[in-house]
Every structure is written in C-alpha cells, then in structure tokens.
Amino acid sequence: MAGTARSAANAAEKRRLILDAAVRVFASQGFHACRVSDIADEAGVAYGLVYHYFRSKDQVLDTLFLERWDVMLEAIREVDARDLAARRKLEAIAAFIVDSYRHDPDLMKVIIVEVTRAANSFGQTHIEKINEAYNLIAAVVAKAQDAGEFRSDISPQFAAMAFYGAIEQVLTGWIFATLPQAAGDYDEAKRLIVETICSGLDR
Amino acid sequence: MAGTARSAANAAEKRRLILDAAVRVFASQGFHACRVSDIADEAGVAYGLVYHYFRSKDQVLDTLFLERWDVMLEAIREVDARDLAARRKLEAIAAFIVDSYRHDPDLMKVIIVEVTRAANSFGQTHIEKINEAYNLIAAVVAKAQDAGEFRSDISPQFAAMAFYGAIEQVLTGWIFATLPQAAGDYDEAKRLIVETICSGLDR
Amino acid sequence: MAGTARSAANAAEKRRLILDAAVRVFASQGFHACRVSDIADEAGVAYGLVYHYFRSKDQVLDTLFLERWDVMLEAIREVDARDLAARRKLEAIAAFIVDSYRHDPDLMKVIIVEVTRAANSFGQTHIEKINEAYNLIAAVVAKAQDAGEFRSDISPQFAAMAFYGAIEQVLTGWIFATLPQAAGDYDEAKRLIVETICSGLDR
Amino acid sequence: MAGTARSAANAAEKRRLILDAAVRVFASQGFHACRVSDIADEAGVAYGLVYHYFRSKDQVLDTLFLERWDVMLEAIREVDARDLAARRKLEAIAAFIVDSYRHDPDLMKVIIVEVTRAANSFGQTHIEKINEAYNLIAAVVAKAQDAGEFRSDISPQFAAMAFYGAIEQVLTGWIFATLPQAAGDYDEAKRLIVETICSGLDR
DNA sequence: TATGAATGAGTTTTCATTCAT
DNA sequence: AATGAATGAAAACTCATTCAT
C-alpha cells in the first residue's frame, strides 16, 4: 500500500530527526548532562517517541557512534584497497576524518568526547569496534613496511596509535578551541599530520 | 598540643584515604556511574565524611586532577629549564607521563577518561589548565625551531598536539588493553613516541 | 451482503481471539504486569485492535470475568431449580466449578487471582456480582434447612462461605501446584469437598 | 554511645512507622493503585526514606507478609505442640486467625488480597511460605486421623485446604462486607468454622 | 477493520547533599 | 571528626490510550 510506504518513510524520517537532534544536544550539553526530554524537545517530538525508536538514551548514543564509525571503517578499507603509496593512504584517511569533522563537528565531538567515556562505563562493546579502526591503519603501515616504504623498527600497532592519536588530538584542539579553525586550517591540518608522522619534526 | 597535631595528621590521612579510594572507584566504575557512598565504602568511612573534606563529588575529581596535573606541569617546566637538546626534552616529558601511568594507572585513566576527554561536560573548568600543558610543550618546540633543531614549517602548537596526542593514545591503548603492557613495553613506548614524532615513519 | 456477514463473523472471531489471548497472558504474567501489546502479540494482532473491541485493558478483564461468572450463576440457578437433595445440589455446583477449572485452568486462575481476590482494587465493581453467587448457594442451604436436610444452627450465608471457600482454596492449591492434579484428582475433589462440608471431618 | 543507641531506636521506630503506614495505604487503595509517596505521606516522612529502609515498594509488602506470616506459623506450631484434642487445636488456630483479623483488619486484608496476587506475579517466593501453613494444619489432621479422632478417608492435605479456605473466605466476607461484623460475630465465626468442618452441615 | 506511530501523564527509583547528634 | 538518617529534586522509563492513515 502507498499509505504504508508513506508511513514507513515518515517513521524513518522521525527516527533520523531524533538522531540528528541528539547529536546537537549531546554536543552542547554532554551526554550525561542532558535529559531525554531535551532531545525530544530539540527534535520537536514527544519524548515517548524516543523510546518508540530506541530502547534507551544509551542506545541513541550507540546508534550515532556505530552509524558513523562504520562509515569511517568503510572509508579506510576503501582507501587501503586503492593502489597508492602508504603516505597517500594516510593522507586520505586523515583527510576523511578531518572532513568528517568539518562537515559535522557536533557529531565528531560526540563520538570523540562521549564515546570514549561511555566505552569505559558501558562495557567493552565499542572498544572492539574502535580497535577495528586501529587495526586497519596498522595494516596500512605493515604493508608499507613490507614494501620498504616505512621503516620497520616501529610496530604497526604503535604507529597506528601515534597517527590516530595525533588526528584525534587535533580535533580535540578544535573542539575545545585550543587550535585555530580558520578557512585553510583544515587542509593545512591534513597535510601537517601526515608530514609530522611520516617525516618527523627533525630538521 | 600533641593531641591536635595527631588529629591533624589523622585528618590529612583520612582525606588522602578518600582521594585514593575515589581513584579506584572512578577508574573501575566511571565518575558518573559511581555513587559517593561507593567512594566512602571503598575508603572504609561513612559517606558523610566525604562532605567534610570535599564540597561535592565533582570537587573530589577536581582535586585528583589538579593535584596530578600540577605535578606534571611542574615536571615539564623543570625539563624545559634543563640544558638539553629538544629531543631529549621531549623524551623526558614522554617518560614522565608514561611513568605516571606505570606508577598509578588508575589515576591516569581517571584523568584521561573523565577529565581530559570530558572537559566540556564540566563547563570549561579545566580547559585552561589542560592548555597550559600544551603551551609548555609548544614552547619547547618553538625554542627548538629557533635553535634550528626542529623544522619550522610545522607550528609549535600543532606539533605539541601531535606529540601529546600520540602519548595519550598510547595510554588509552593500555587503559583499554588494546596495546600490550609487558615489562619492557613502557620504556619501548617512551622511545618510540619520540622517535616517531621527531624522525617520522619514513624510511 | 455476504461480504458484510463474513466480516461480522471475522470480527467476532477476532474479538474472541483477543479474549482468549488475554486469558493466557493474564494467567502467566498477571493482569498488572502485562502490557496491552503482550495481549495483542499473543493474539497475533496489532495492539490498536484491542481498542477497537474493548474500551480499555480493564474492560478486557471485566469481559472475561463477567462472561464466565454469568455462566456459573446460570449453572447454579439451574442446579437449584432441579428436584434434588441439597447435598446433590452442592455436588453439582462443586462439579461445575471444578470442571470449569479442568476445562480452562488459565481462565479460572485469572478470575480467582485477579478478580475474586482483588475485587477491592477495582473499586467495588464486581463485588455484587460475586455476592450473587454466594447468595444463590446460601439459598440452597436455607431451603435445605427449612426442609430439615441441613442443621439450622449454621447460618446459610456462613455455610455458603465455607463451601465456596473450600472450593476456591482447592483450585488455588491446583493453581499454585500445592495440591496434586492427577487424572482422578478432579473427581475425587468434587466428592471430598461436599463430603467434608456436609459430613465433617469427625469420625 | 547513648546517642547511637537513641538513633538506632529512632531508626527502628521510623521503619515501623513506614510499615504501619503501608498497611493502611495498601488496605485502602490496594498495592498497585498506591504510590510510594502515598505511603511516605501517610507516615509523615519524605519518600526517599522509604528507600532508605526498603529496596523497593515490593519489599515493603514482602516485609509485612513475612513478619505476620511467621507469627502465624509460630502460633500454629505452638498450638500443635499442646496436648489437646484435634478439634480444640483447629479451634485455637481459627481463633488465632480471626483474632488477627479483629486486631488488625487492614493487615490481614493486605495479606489475603494482595499477597496471593503478588505470589502470582513475583514468582514463587511466598508460595512456599504459604504452603508451610497448610502443611502444619495437615499435620494436625494427620495426627488426629492416626489417633482415630478424624476419619481417614479425607487426605490431610485436602482437609487442610478446606479448613483454611473456609477461614479465609469468612475473612474475605468481612473484608468486602458480605458477612456481618457485629460484636459477637467474631467468636461465633470461630465456633462455626470448626463446627462446619468437623461436624458438617448434615443434620 | 486494522495498523502502529505518536503522545505524555504518571511512577518508581536514584543519589547528591544536608544536618542533627 | 565522624556518622548515617533524612530529604527531595531530578530523570529514566513505561505504557495505556488516541488517532491518522
């Protein structure tokens, strides 16, 4: 039935409306500080509807994280599949993450600030998902080492942590307004992260 | 009076007892998930006593953070004051932070997971304090650039973020058991962090 | 129209489907503990449909109770109208109630546990209906006393309560698995209830 | 310390205050219909205090039931230990239960009306406790059968159910005002219950 | 008839904090 | 200094019920 199809469309839209509202609310108030009714108010729906679509407030955060994280994992896999120099791959990954932030800073803020903490409280559910990303990056490094592109005396796991840590810290700097965010700063950041990690600070 | 002195000593000990218990409880349950009475139970005192020594639950966390962070700031300042090559300074800073973790992993976990990454939830309370550390590191880099030790096309602020981000990510890896923590891994990490950031991954 | 007749038949069937599902759900979860959607799920319909046939969750229970209780009242009246010795009448009444349980234990469980014993929670809604049964039984006793079949120093009201109480307690014993429910136990129970109440335990 | 002893006394008193208030509230509104705040209001305390002394609303009901039921079990055991004819024992048991009702009708109402239903919802916790009572009564009957006081063709378990069912139904009659409750009615009831169950209705 | 999205009143429960002792 | 009884604000969550389709 058309009616049913239309309803299903509306239902999906409402769910999305709630998720998008949650991003804004989590970003501005923090996950713990906000109430479910704040999300509902922001979305313009009754708060009961949040529970119609999600089992709990936690699950709203989970959903946001998993949605975005899966997109990122896919992007990293896609980059790794391309026939590129390792350095170009790292550039593409850094670019993807920086662009994700540029495109939706609130969402990235929520994922970085709230999910790490939640990972601690809610058990290990997300940790494995997060590790997948590190492992994918580590695989890029490992292949580069085998190919002689990267030095072999730094473990791929470790290199992945340094690379990802540098990116995340830059985003954190933007989130807390510690680093400047002018027009060219995003592209500059992409370049500098890779330059630092690959070539080092030494002269 | 001796009696008073003894009481004062006991009072300071009780306060410390509560702070140490809080570290363990915050680390295992998370700040938000735990109750004040959990801290008191862990310390073996009545929960009313927590309020004798601290204004609020927040203030317990604040105290833990500030105590430790000030020690770290002092350590960085002290390192910077020494007559060392920039690379040695960064090594000393990395060593200090890694050793802090080795000495009291719970405390570092609390500081990273509950304060550093969550700073916006607490308003902007600690952001300036946190920035002080970045600025001190940036100053080390800036001087190294002036002295021709480090290349000048990467801003000191940015370099500081990459450096600190790499360290924090390694600690996070240990905290969530993503990275191995065997006997030699701590010293290895100190070396590799600086090696990666200063010399880069390139061959 | 045949279509209309068919629809009406379907409607009545759906209503019955819901009532039967409600019996199972009320029996296994209890009236308060279950949700309207549990009934709908059990019936295999959308929960909105429950509200098409019934004004409220309460009314579903009311309907179940009244349906069955009216059948019982009618049965008691019919027994009383027969030309039988009082003892035979009580036997027939006990048999009817025991057979009701044997035929649909869930329904009797719901009526006893959720309505008969809980009548005050529903205001005094069903108390008069319930009393009708006691009064009909009391009338049987009163007539037997007038006819010299039963002793006259026990009030008919009181005798009715003892008789009905014994039956209900036996059902309760079955409901909570306190009394055995093997093949012959139902017929044995019918006999023993009347034997106990009419002839007593004395030797 | 005297202060501590006094506090403990007050604490126990407050707990009792809450339990007594709960009896009145459960009796007048029913367990499900009342709110925890109704109990607290009735007791004149903040509702948080209810949770200071009890884990949940359920546990308040549990406590009331177990307190009273244990007293009854003890009373039955004590009666059974006496050197009395079986009929006298049953009289003493009936008298104890009727007097319990006379002394605190609200409490007995709660136990009879709410606990049976709760036994259904909350699991089997109370059922065993309730069965203990039946078993003690059955033991009285069994011994009487062995001694030749009671006929042996009615199982003790069954006799116990009839006896207890008759008593409970009389209380239910009082609770729902189906049976008269004038001055002499309580003592009359004690006598009639035993007379009916032991000697029967037959002339 | 039938569906299930949408609503929001209502309730339990938690827990930081206060304060009398 | 130390205790823990007492408070009540606050929030998550439930679920009966309505209603557009």
Side-chain angles (χ1 to χ4, degrees):
Chain A
M1 269 177 286
T4 303
R6 181 59 192 282
S7 292
N10 285 341
E13 283 162 24
K14 280 282 173 71
R15 203 184 115 97
R16 176 51 42 200
L17 210 59
I18 289 167
L19 285 170
D20 291 345
V23 168
R24 295 192 295 277
V25 172
F26 289 163
S28 70
Q29 304 187 43
F31 177 77
H32 279 103
C34 83
R35 296 171 291 180
V36 172
S37 67
D38 292 331
I39 302 172
D41 287 352
E42 177 76 23
V45 300
Y47 62 85
L49 199 61
V50 176
Y51 288 94
H52 189 79
Y53 289 109
F54 304 95
R55 224 186 329 284
S56 66
K57 190 182 166 188
D58 282 8
Q59 212 211 345
V60 175
L61 181 60
D62 286 356
T63 303
L64 290 172
F65 166 71
L66 290 174
E67 267 187 7
R68 189 67 210 162
W69 203 259
D70 279 336
V71 169
M72 189 182 78
L73 292 178
E74 192 43 47
I76 298 176
R77 282 196 193 90
E78 188 269 327
V79 165
D80 191 26
R82 280 194 251 159
D83 184 25
L84 288 174
R87 191 176 178 126
R88 297 283 159 262
K89 288 183 180 179
L90 294 186
E91 272 171 13
I93 293 168
F96 179 85
I97 297 175
V98 166
D99 287 337
S100 292
Y101 176 79
R102 176 154 53 175
H103 177 258
D104 193 345
D106 281 346
L107 178 55
M108 290 305 277
K109 178 176 179 179
V110 168
I111 286 174
I112 290 176
V113 172
E114 302 296 345
V115 174
T116 304
R117 200 139 42 110
N120 192 31
S121 313
F122 301 169
Q124 308 291 93
T125 329
H126 299 324
I127 293 186
E128 282 176 39
K129 208 69 182 168
I130 293 170
N131 280 346
E132 266 185 65
Y134 302 154
N135 291 335
L136 288 174
I137 296 171
V140 171
V141 173
K143 269 184 279 185
Q145 290 178 335
D146 288 346
E149 292 179 87
F150 283 169
R151 55 198 285 196
S152 293
D153 60 339
I154 296 176
S155 84
Q157 280 300 330
F158 190 91
M161 295 307 255
F163 175 68
Y164 184 82
I167 297 176
E168 199 177 282
Q169 191 65 30
V170 168
L171 298 200
T172 303
W174 287 332
I175 289 168
F176 296 136
T178 302
L179 285 179
Q181 296 183 70
D185 289 329
Y186 298 112
D187 290 330
E188 176 80 349
K190 296 175 195 175
R191 200 179 58 76
L192 287 185
I193 288 164
V194 178
E195 185 63 24
T196 305
I197 294 296
C198 293
S199 300
L201 296 175
D202 281 350
R203 189 143 173 279
Chain B
M1 272 179 286
T4 306
R6 179 62 192 281
S7 293
N10 284 342
E13 282 163 26
K14 281 281 173 71
R15 200 184 118 98
R16 178 47 47 197
L17 209 60
I18 290 168
L19 284 169
D20 291 345
V23 168
R24 294 191 296 276
V25 171
F26 291 163
S28 69
Q29 305 186 43
F31 177 77
H32 279 102
C34 83
R35 296 173 290 182
V36 172
S37 66
D38 292 331
I39 302 171
D41 286 353
E42 177 76 23
V45 301
Y47 56 86
L49 198 60
V50 175
Y51 288 90
H52 186 79
Y53 291 108
F54 304 95
R55 212 180 353 274
S56 67
K57 187 183 170 187
D58 279 16
Q59 211 212 351
V60 176
L61 180 60
D62 288 353
T63 303
L64 289 172
F65 167 71
L66 290 173
E67 267 187 6
R68 189 69 210 160
W69 203 257
D70 279 336
V71 170
M72 188 181 79
L73 291 179
E74 192 43 47
I76 298 175
R77 282 196 193 91
E78 188 270 327
V79 165
D80 192 25
R82 281 194 252 160
D83 184 24
L84 288 174
R87 189 172 180 132
R88 297 285 159 262
K89 290 183 178 177
L90 294 186
E91 272 171 12
I93 292 168
F96 180 85
I97 298 175
V98 166
D99 287 337
S100 292
Y101 176 80
R102 176 154 52 174
H103 176 257
D104 192 344
D106 281 346
L107 178 56
M108 290 305 277
K109 178 175 179 178
V110 168
I111 286 174
I112 289 176
V113 173
E114 304 292 348
V115 184
T116 295
R117 302 232 184 189
N120 71 324
S121 302
F122 287 82
Q124 307 288 92
T125 330
H126 299 308
I127 291 189
E128 279 180 39
K129 251 309 190 236
I130 295 169
N131 281 345
E132 263 185 68
Y134 304 153
N135 291 336
L136 288 175
I137 296 170
V140 171
V141 173
K143 269 184 279 183
Q145 291 177 335
D146 288 346
E149 292 179 88
F150 283 170
R151 55 200 283 199
S152 293
D153 59 340
I154 296 176
S155 83
Q157 280 300 330
F158 190 93
M161 294 310 252
F163 175 69
Y164 182 81
I167 297 175
E168 197 177 280
Q169 191 66 27
V170 169
L171 298 202
T172 302
W174 287 332
I175 288 168
F176 294 125
T178 301
L179 285 179
Q181 295 184 70
D185 290 329
Y186 298 112
D187 290 330
E188 176 80 350
K190 294 175 195 173
R191 199 180 57 78
L192 286 185
I193 289 165
V194 177
E195 185 64 24
T196 304
I197 293 296
C198 292
S199 301
L201 297 175
D202 281 350
R203 188 145 173 278
Chain C
M1 271 181 286
T4 306
R6 180 60 193 282
S7 294
N10 284 342
E13 281 162 27
K14 280 282 173 70
R15 200 184 118 99
R16 176 48 46 197
L17 210 60
I18 290 168
L19 285 169
D20 291 345
V23 168
R24 295 191 295 275
V25 171
F26 290 163
S28 70
Q29 305 188 41
F31 176 79
H32 279 101
C34 83
R35 297 173 290 182
V36 172
S37 67
D38 293 330
I39 302 172
D41 286 352
E42 176 76 24
V45 300
Y47 58 84
L49 198 59
V50 175
Y51 287 91
H52 186 78
Y53 290 108
F54 303 95
R55 214 181 350 272
S56 67
K57 188 184 170 188
D58 278 16
Q59 212 212 351
V60 176
L61 180 59
D62 288 353
T63 302
L64 290 172
F65 166 72
L66 290 173
E67 267 187 6
R68 189 69 210 160
W69 202 258
D70 279 336
V71 170
M72 189 180 78
L73 292 179
E74 191 45 47
I76 298 175
R77 282 196 193 90
E78 188 270 326
V79 165
D80 191 26
R82 282 194 249 158
D83 184 23
L84 289 174
R87 191 173 179 133
R88 296 286 158 259
K89 289 183 178 176
L90 293 187
E91 272 171 13
I93 292 167
F96 179 85
I97 297 175
V98 166
D99 287 337
S100 293
Y101 176 80
R102 176 154 52 175
H103 177 258
D104 193 344
D106 280 347
L107 178 56
M108 290 304 278
K109 178 175 178 176
V110 169
I111 286 173
I112 289 176
V113 172
E114 303 292 348
V115 184
T116 295
R117 303 232 184 190
N120 71 324
S121 303
F122 286 83
Q124 307 289 89
T125 329
H126 298 311
I127 291 190
E128 278 180 41
K129 250 314 191 233
I130 295 169
N131 279 345
E132 264 185 67
Y134 303 154
N135 290 336
L136 289 174
I137 296 170
V140 171
V141 173
K143 269 185 278 183
Q145 290 177 334
D146 288 347
E149 291 179 89
F150 283 170
R151 55 199 284 196
S152 293
D153 59 339
I154 296 175
S155 84
Q157 281 300 331
F158 189 93
M161 294 310 255
F163 175 68
Y164 183 81
I167 297 175
E168 198 178 280
Q169 191 65 28
V170 169
L171 297 201
T172 302
W174 287 332
I175 288 167
F176 292 125
T178 301
L179 285 180
Q181 295 184 70
D185 289 331
Y186 298 111
D187 290 330
E188 177 80 348
K190 294 175 195 174
R191 200 179 58 75
L192 286 185
I193 289 164
V194 178
E195 184 63 24
T196 304
I197 294 295
C198 293
S199 300
L201 297 175
D202 281 350
R203 188 148 173 277
Chain D
M1 267 177 286
T4 305
R6 181 59 193 280
S7 293
N10 285 342
E13 282 162 25
K14 280 284 172 69
R15 204 184 116 100
R16 175 52 42 198
L17 210 59
I18 290 168
L19 285 170
D20 292 345
V23 168
R24 294 192 295 277
V25 171
F26 289 164
S28 70
Q29 304 187 43
F31 177 77
H32 279 103
C34 83
R35 296 170 293 180
V36 172
S37 66
D38 293 330
I39 301 172
D41 287 351
E42 176 76 24
V45 301
Y47 59 85
L49 198 59
V50 176
Y51 288 93
H52 189 78
Y53 289 110
F54 303 94
R55 223 186 331 283
S56 66
K57 190 182 166 188
D58 282 8
Q59 212 211 343
V60 176
L61 180 59
D62 286 357
T63 303
L64 290 172
F65 166 71
L66 290 174
E67 267 188 5
R68 189 67 209 161
W69 203 259
D70 280 336
V71 170
M72 190 181 78
L73 292 178
E74 192 43 47
I76 298 176
R77 281 194 193 91
E78 188 269 326
V79 164
D80 191 26
R82 280 193 251 159
D83 184 25
L84 288 175
R87 189 172 181 135
R88 297 285 159 261
K89 288 183 179 176
L90 294 186
E91 272 171 13
I93 293 168
F96 179 84
I97 298 175
V98 167
D99 287 337
S100 292
Y101 176 80
R102 178 154 52 175
H103 177 258
D104 193 344
D106 281 346
L107 178 55
M108 290 304 278
K109 179 175 177 178
V110 168
I111 287 174
I112 290 176
V113 171
E114 303 295 347
V115 174
T116 304
R117 199 137 47 107
N120 192 31
S121 312
F122 300 171
Q124 307 292 93
T125 329
H126 299 324
I127 294 187
E128 281 176 41
K129 211 64 182 169
I130 294 171
N131 281 346
E132 266 186 66
Y134 304 154
N135 291 335
L136 289 174
I137 296 171
V140 171
V141 173
K143 270 184 277 184
Q145 290 177 334
D146 288 346
E149 291 179 88
F150 283 170
R151 54 196 288 193
S152 292
D153 59 339
I154 296 176
S155 84
Q157 280 299 330
F158 190 92
M161 295 307 256
F163 175 69
Y164 184 82
I167 297 175
E168 199 176 282
Q169 192 65 28
V170 168
L171 298 200
T172 302
W174 287 333
I175 288 167
F176 295 136
T178 301
L179 286 179
Q181 294 184 73
D185 289 330
Y186 298 112
D187 290 330
E188 177 78 350
K190 295 174 195 175
R191 200 179 56 76
L192 286 185
I193 288 163
V194 178
E195 184 63 24
T196 304
I197 294 296
C198 292
S199 300
L201 296 174
D202 282 349
R203 190 148 173 277

